[in-house]
Amino acid sequence: MRRFIFLSTLFLTVLCSCHLSAPRQLEKSDSENGLADERAKGFSLQMAGECFKITVNDPWQKSVNTHFTYYLRRAGAKLPENLGDTAIFTIPVRRVVCLSTTHAGFLDALDEWQSIIGISGSKYLNNLHLQQQIQDGKLAEVGNENGLFYEKLVDLKPDVVFAFGVGADVNNQLSKLKDLGIPVVMVGEYLEATPLAKAEWLRFFGAFFDKTSLADSLFQEITNQYHTIKSSVKRDEKRPGVLTGLPFKETWWMAGGASNLARLIQDAGGEYLWGANDSREAFPVSLEEVFIRAAKADFWINCGTANSLDELRQ
């Protein structure tokens, strides 16, 4: 049987459940440990006096030279001068709303799942703690990008709302939240080019909870395990073809060939059927083209909530 290791299993398991008791800083420079091409491009984190300065870059598809800057300070820390209307957060934050369930995975890895008081897309959660919170009425559904429950968000009084955008129209949502006095932060981890770059957003979230050392150690642990398994994949064997996703309104939005999902499949020893595409972003493919090319597929992954071929037919 051809060897095919799905690194996503490792990635999600470590991201959602790994807790280290002795946090440590990254021990080598990027050039020494081979991380230069794996580091996140969507955000930067640095010290600005006594505060953290976070800059988020181009956090939605097709955004160019779009930047958001946030300052994070511990209670009593002195802020830099002349910040104007730059968003400022006191850390650690305690009450958090996530407008993507992917954000919950990062918070769970940091042992901060209990800080989540509101979430979008609660039916897609697979975290048992959060599922129980929903059943107990302790975790609120806040709607989605097509219809946020703004009154609910105001009532929740969050310290921060972690938001995301697919396109520039998210600016309307951001403006509405700002007008209501709701503190919001853009997150664009889904646009990173590699799985490890996406995993490094642990450091982004860690800063908001004043857990930068833990976040660094988690990222290093994930990196080490990822490369260990990646190196075990036999490259001389035939690579199985992989199809991903499901159609939406007669269009199949396929992950770009330069996306972190495509890289994950490649590192795992597979051949992503649209790997020749050079985009990091999703692109539309006709159903006919998918049917023709997918005849070569050995595996079909990320097929939504369907659990069987009968459900897919329906």
Side-chain angles (χ1 to χ4, degrees), residues 251-283:
T251 300
W252 203 301
W253 286 92
M254 203 65 65
S259 66
N260 59 70
L261 177 60
R263 176 66 176 272
L264 184 67
I265 293 169
Q266 174 187 334
D267 288 349
E271 178 184 356
Y272 179 46
L273 297 185
W274 275 265
N277 177 274
D278 61 1
S279 173
R280 288 186 305 142
E281 303 168 351
F283 62 99

Side-chain angles (χ1 to χ4, degrees), residues 103-125:
H103 304 163
F106 290 96
L107 270 59
D108 187 36
L110 294 164
D111 197 23
E112 289 291 346
W113 60 267
Q114 69 280 359
S115 298
I116 304 174
I117 58 171
I119 199 157
S120 175
S122 56
K123 65 181 180 180
Y124 299 113
L125 283 172

Side-chain angles (χ1 to χ4, degrees), residues 16-46:
C16 295
S17 63
C18 181
H19 305 287
L20 303 182
S21 58
R24 52 186 165 78
Q25 297 294 328
L26 302 183
E27 297 174 351
K28 298 180 179 180
S29 70
D30 291 350
S31 59
E32 288 174 330
N33 62 20
L35 282 177
D37 295 331
E38 303 286 7
R39 302 308 291 261
K41 304 298 191 299
F43 81 95
S44 64
L45 171 63
Q46 62 191 73

Side-chain angles (χ1 to χ4, degrees), residues 90-110:
T90 299
I91 58 173
V93 294
R94 297 301 186 194
R95 297 175 60 79
V96 175
V97 171
C98 299
L99 297 189
S100 170
T101 54
T102 61
H103 304 163
F106 290 96
L107 270 59
D108 187 36
L110 294 164

